[in-house]
Amino acid sequence: MTSSDLGAFGEAGDTLARIAASGRISPSYLFEGADGEVLREAATAFASVLLGGQAEGHPDYHVLEKDKPTVISVAALAEELERAHQTPLQGARQVFVIDPAEAMEPEGVARYLKALEEPPEGTTYLLVSTSPERLPATVLSRVRRVRLPPMGDAAIQRRLESDGLDPERAARLARWGSGSLARARRVATYELDVVVERLLEAAHGKTGAALAAEAAQSA
């Protein structure tokens, strides 16, 4: 993945591409917005650029998620930050994604705040949050904030088409998503749009008319 791929995320993506090109990488970034799925994709895309074109599967790409039902525990955060002090396995940089950042246990944040602010050289933290207001002010003041606004229908449609959906259905789901790629994908997964279309057809007699036409043709 290259810097040009960040263009899919609008102005925020363009800003990230310029940051990557400048080589002046901040220690920590906060990706914030309403759509967690888009935030995670943007963070992964940025990590890919920082790591030379690949994130998923890269030995220096690490993702920290909830290890308990509702939180990222102190123990899990401690293990990840200890790894951050190790030498990168490939290249000169390692990237850590913390998602969702607001799930970090307060004790862990307090204990490792300095590590988030001043990580070892070549280490970058990417925090992902749909609820940045739940993060302590001490964290918010130490990260570079990257806000991603809701996606437009056209952008969501393009992403759904890249998932393999046909353009007509992708356009319909994009409208249903109302600015949320995650919502549009959930609707697609459960085929709720297909169910609604069939119900509407039945309610307006379209299904019955179609069956009658088929019967007439076969007669």
Side-chain angles (χ1 to χ4, degrees):
M1 187 173 290
T2 64
S3 296
S4 61
D5 295 295
L6 289 168
F9 301 98
E11 291 184 9
D14 294 339
T15 298
L16 291 170
R18 288 194 295 271
I19 290 172
S22 72
R24 295 189 293 273
I25 312 302
S26 299
S28 303
Y29 294 82
L30 171 61
F31 288 73
E32 57 181 293
D35 194 329
E37 194 159 334
V38 172
L39 297 177
R40 179 67 168 268
E41 288 188 6
T44 301
F46 186 49
S48 295
V49 174
L50 295 181
L51 294 172
Q54 175 192 3
E56 302 290 352
H58 195 290
D60 296 314
Y61 175 70
H62 311 284
V63 178
L64 181 59
E65 301 174 304
K66 295 177 185 176
D67 60 313
K68 294 184 177 181
T70 59
V71 299
I72 297 173
S73 69
V74 176
L77 188 58
E79 180 180 348
E80 206 71 3
L81 292 177
E82 182 179 344
R83 184 184 299 178
H85 284 80
Q86 299 175 7
T87 302
L89 297 175
Q90 180 179 318
R93 181 174 299 279
Q94 53 186 343
V95 178
F96 293 81
V97 174
I98 302 177
D99 180 20
E102 69 271 12
M104 291 187 292
E105 282 191 319
E107 181 185 345
V109 174
R111 184 181 299 180
Y112 298 107
L113 184 62
K114 187 67 173 179
L116 290 172
E117 181 183 11
E118 297 180 5
E121 185 177 355
T123 294
T124 303
Y125 291 109
L126 307 181
L127 281 64
V128 175
S129 179
T130 56
S131 303
E133 70 280 357
R134 292 174 54 191
L135 289 168
T138 50
V139 171
L140 296 177
S141 65
R142 287 166 167 79
V143 297
R144 179 163 182 174
R145 303 177 71 167
V146 180
R147 176 160 184 80
L148 279 81
M151 297 178 70
D153 288 357
I156 294 177
Q157 180 180 343
R158 287 193 297 272
R159 204 66 70 83
L160 293 174
E161 288 180 16
S162 69
D163 289 347
L165 275 64
D166 67 81
E168 182 179 352
R169 188 177 180 216
R172 180 169 68 244
L173 288 168
R175 293 193 297 273
W176 285 32
S178 300
S180 171
L181 176 61
R183 184 183 300 115
R185 281 176 168 162
R186 283 197 300 271
V187 173
T189 298
Y190 296 111
E191 296 191 338
L192 298 179
D193 60 314
V194 176
V195 173
V196 170
E197 287 295 313
R198 289 174 179 171
L199 289 173
L200 289 173
E201 288 178 358
H204 290 85
K206 293 180 180 179
T207 301
L211 291 174
E214 289 179 355
Q217 283 184 332
S218 61

